[in-house]
Amino acid sequence: MYKVLVTDDISPKGLEILSNDEEIDLDYQPEIKFDELLEIIKDYDAIITRSRTPVTKELLERAEKLKVIGRAGVGVDNVDLEEASRRGILVVNTPGANTIGAAEITMAHMYAVLRKLHLAHDSVKAGEWKRSKFMGEELDGKVVGIIGLGNVGSQVAIRCKAAGAKVIAYDPYIPKEKGDRLGVEIIDDLHELIKMSDIITLHCPLTEETRNMIGKKEFDLMKKGVYFINCARGGIVDEDALYDAIQEGKIAGLGLDVFSKEPPDDGIRRLFEFPNISLSPHIGANTYESQDNVAIKIAQYVIAALKGQFVEVAVNAPFTITEGFENIKAYLELAEKLGSFLTQYAGGHFTEINIEVRGSIKQHIEPITAFFLKGFLSPILDTPVNIINAPFIAKERGVNIVKSTREAGLNFKEFIKITARSKDKEVSVGGTALYDKFPRIMMVDNYWIDIEPQGVILMFENKDVPGVIGKLGTLLAKHNVNIAGFRLGRLEKGKIALGALQLDDRLNEEILEEIHQIPEIIKAKQVIL
């Protein structure tokens, strides 16, 4: 028997699944206090929580038998993932279980501000009958710009198209073929989408890349009279810039379910002065159906994990390093770095990724693939990605993974080559581990180059003429940025060269813009490894 403790309120449908399993001894204590939990946790094989219960290092230290932590929801902020991983405790959550709820609350806010339903409601309740005061706009015929075409964004797209809207989307990590299937035009440039849209709705995760992604520049580019909806994450929007846009009369209607601070502080609450604003307290997943789905899935996942079955939504499952794997640890690190490098350097829109492993390490292609996908996906998601859930996430995002092996190469006996393809481009990166210990990126596209995958790397293509490095060095020196290393590759003298500068400090947007102004520079991209 496995003892399972549920410490937060979940749908009875999930409890029923747990109760009906002959191998599960269920203890349901949704109001248990943390001090009491500390005293009894030693007796349980699994714990299921929501956001109320903190699964801290202190708790895990006392959890002598704990094998699985189930988080009924997407976020795992209340779980000490590092400590759980260190102790070999599997953490599972329920991504996608509340997709429809999140999509529908987006539509609710959208219709509310288009038709001023919330304002009309208050007016009628106050005893008024001022029909002409509430002239609205129709979704039919509007251009809806969706930023983030994942699970929720896709469902919003389907609903907007059904209402007669033209739907466009920006998501650099979703293949264009997915847009084709949905009847959605994929726009490669965020700012172009912003300028084209009558309604803008956010559905991307909160990552370092997306934090404050919608700021003053983006609001300035929007049409006057735009409708703006955010039911994704509060930190994606610079709320000071949003307030200024409202003050300038840029926005016709605003719908918000999320805020950078929850509950909102006074700085955010000043947004509420705007009359046509529809607000809710982060309730996108608060539907009976979503909560049923969450409870059912978490019960199924926890039972499967306890019985030793593969759980594709594991958040943290550590990869077991056996004696055989010890010899390829450097190649696993290399694979992860190649994945992160590829995403940061080349962006997305990849429909197929070919992972080719050469030499004696080819027998370990499965863990190499998992580590690569972890590196490839981590920079673009705000939920934990590990070697267990990374293949599942890639599949969910419509990326076809092709694995192949070859005998030892001529230049390097052991080599990992990644080729990423989309409809209109192909990018390849590859590398080896020197002396089987030191990971190196040795190939970018057709250029042979030797890059230590560590720290800040400025990748750039330039015309192969004298003086380019001097100009670049002078510019960086002006901004007090020190160069730690330099590598150069070229295919033919006098044509195009590929450079990699390893820097001591990150570059801000201003410096990157200046680099792009150097006439000989064709393109430049900062990569953080």
Side-chain angles (χ1 to χ4, degrees):
M1 295 288 289
Y2 298 105
K3 294 193 68 175
V4 178
L5 175 63
V6 180
T7 63
D8 287 290
D9 185 32
I10 68 170
S11 165
K13 291 189 176 181
L15 297 174
E16 184 180 354
I17 291 172
L18 292 163
S19 298
N20 290 342
D21 192 294
E22 295 179 352
E23 297 181 57
I24 300 297
D25 179 9
L26 174 64
D27 186 1
Y28 183 47
Q29 298 193 49
E31 303 296 332
I32 189 170
K33 295 180 180 179
F34 186 71
D35 289 344
E36 297 173 14
L37 179 59
L38 288 175
E39 296 301 317
I40 67 171
I41 191 63
K42 65 181 185 299
D43 298 323
Y44 293 91
D45 298 286
I47 182 173
I48 295 177
T49 77
R50 294 185 69 183
S51 57
R52 186 186 74 90
T53 304
V55 184
T56 63
K57 181 178 181 180
E58 180 184 10
L59 180 70
L60 295 174
E61 286 173 345
R62 301 192 184 197
E64 300 170 4
K65 297 173 59 181
L66 200 65
K67 302 174 182 66
V68 183
I69 299 167
R71 170 63 167 90
V74 177
V76 287
D77 296 346
N78 59 315
V79 179
D80 189 330
L81 289 174
E82 183 176 351
E83 185 65 21
S85 298
R86 192 177 70 80
R87 294 176 178 274
I89 301 170
L90 191 70
V91 181
V92 296
N93 64 347
T94 56
N98 58 5
T99 295
I100 300 301
E104 289 188 349
I105 199 168
T106 299
M107 301 306 298
H109 279 298
M110 194 180 297
Y111 276 119
V113 294
L114 279 168
R115 297 303 304 271
K116 301 184 175 69
L117 294 177
H118 52 309
L119 303 177
H121 169 85
D122 291 341
S123 174
V124 174
K125 281 191 68 175
E128 300 176 343
W129 194 259
K130 300 180 178 179
R131 296 175 62 194
S132 62
K133 182 179 178 182
F134 302 109
M135 290 295 293
E137 297 189 58
E138 298 176 1
L139 180 54
D140 182 35
K142 294 290 188 296
V143 177
V144 178
I146 296 177
I147 301 175
L149 198 63
N151 290 335
V152 178
S154 296
Q155 291 297 323
V156 171
I158 291 168
R159 286 155 176 75
C160 288
K161 281 187 63 62
K166 176 183 178 181
V167 180
I168 58 177
Y170 170 78
D171 191 326
Y173 307 105
I174 291 292
K176 289 186 177 181
E177 284 74 8
K178 180 176 181 179
D180 294 339
R181 291 195 302 271
L182 292 169
V184 174
E185 181 184 355
I186 302 293
I187 306 299
D188 292 331
D189 185 87
L190 172 63
H191 290 166
E192 285 303 312
L193 175 135
I194 286 172
K195 289 187 284 188
M196 295 167 65
S197 301
D198 302 309
I199 302 167
I200 296 173
T201 177
L202 306 184
H203 300 288
C204 46
L206 179 61
T207 65
E208 285 304 310
E209 181 182 5
T210 63
R211 187 177 300 278
N212 288 329
M213 179 173 68
I214 307 299
K216 182 181 186 308
K217 183 175 182 179
E218 287 69 32
F219 284 114
D220 287 344
L221 291 172
M222 292 179 192
K223 294 179 180 180
K224 184 176 178 62
V226 70
Y227 290 87
F228 187 76
I229 312 294
N230 184 13
C231 296
R233 293 288 187 270
I236 298 168
V237 180
D238 181 338
E239 285 156 341
D240 290 333
L242 173 58
Y243 179 78
D244 291 341
I246 291 172
Q247 290 292 90
E248 294 165 6
K250 174 76 72 167
I251 295 174
L254 177 65
L256 299 174
D257 183 51
V258 292
F259 308 89
S260 60
K261 294 181 181 177
E262 297 179 352
D265 59 16
D266 290 341
I268 298 171
R269 291 182 62 83
R270 61 183 182 148
L271 294 171
F272 305 168
E273 302 167 7
F274 182 48
N276 193 16
I277 181 170
S278 177
L279 303 171
S280 56
H282 204 152
I283 58 172
N286 283 26
T287 68
Y288 292 111
E289 294 86 353
S290 287
Q291 294 310 308
D292 284 349
N293 289 337
V294 165
I296 290 168
K297 287 182 180 293
I298 200 63
Q300 292 171 338
Y301 294 152
V302 168
I303 290 171
L306 284 172
K307 295 180 179 180
Q309 300 170 16
F310 176 72
V311 182
E312 60 190 9
V313 292
V315 174
N316 74 321
F319 196 82
T320 302
I321 303 295
T322 65
E323 184 176 348
F325 284 119
E326 277 292 331
N327 299 327
I328 64 157
K329 287 177 69 174
Y331 293 98
L332 298 179
E333 180 184 351
L334 169 67
E336 185 172 347
K337 293 294 182 70
L338 285 172
S340 183
F341 180 92
L342 176 63
T343 295
Q344 295 182 63
Y345 178 69
H349 289 328
F350 297 121
T351 55
E352 180 179 289
I353 295 178
N354 187 293
I355 300 166
E356 180 182 281
V357 181
R358 304 176 184 176
S360 62
I361 60 172
K362 66 182 183 180
Q363 62 183 304
H364 302 297
I365 190 169
E366 293 300 331
I368 286 172
T369 298
F371 272 85
F372 163 78
L373 290 173
K374 178 178 183 290
F376 177 71
L377 293 166
S378 292
I380 61 176
L381 297 173
D382 63 352
T383 53
V385 181
N386 59 57
I387 57 175
I388 298 299
N389 65 9
F392 166 75
I393 295 172
K395 181 180 179 181
E396 184 179 59
R397 297 175 73 86
V399 183
N400 182 37
I401 305 301
V402 179
K403 290 169 278 190
S404 60
T405 61
R406 287 176 57 181
E407 297 302 323
L410 294 176
N411 295 319
F412 304 98
K413 289 184 177 181
E414 323 294 340
F415 197 81
I416 301 171
K417 181 181 179 182
I418 310 296
T419 305
R421 299 185 179 94
S422 65
K423 189 175 182 179
D424 51 8
K425 72 174 177 179
E426 179 176 305
V427 180
S428 60
V429 294
T432 190
L434 303 181
Y435 308 106
D436 294 329
K437 292 183 178 180
F438 307 108
R440 288 290 191 277
I441 296 175
M442 304 301 296
M443 184 189 73
V444 178
D445 284 330
N446 293 318
Y447 296 93
W448 289 103
I449 193 168
D450 183 356
I451 304 171
E452 181 183 1
Q454 187 73 33
V456 181
I457 305 170
L458 176 65
M459 298 296 302
F460 60 96
E461 282 188 5
N462 62 277
K463 299 174 184 176
D464 188 23
V465 296
V468 178
I469 303 305
K471 291 181 181 180
L472 197 51
T474 300
L475 190 155
L476 293 172
K478 181 182 73 171
H479 292 282
N480 201 33
V481 176
N482 191 48
I483 298 174
F486 171 61
R487 294 291 186 272
L488 180 69
R490 64 182 184 181
L491 301 178
E492 186 178 347
K493 180 180 178 181
K495 298 294 185 179
I496 305 297
L498 178 72
L501 286 181
Q502 299 199 263
L503 308 175
D504 285 346
D505 301 290
R506 295 191 181 199
L507 304 180
N508 58 35
E509 290 297 324
E510 177 187 350
I511 300 174
L512 285 169
E513 183 61 32
E514 285 189 46
I515 291 171
H516 281 102
Q517 297 304 314
I518 296 175
E520 295 84 0
I521 297 291
I522 298 170
K523 67 177 181 180
K525 188 74 174 179
Q526 179 175 229
V527 175
I528 311 297
L529 296 175

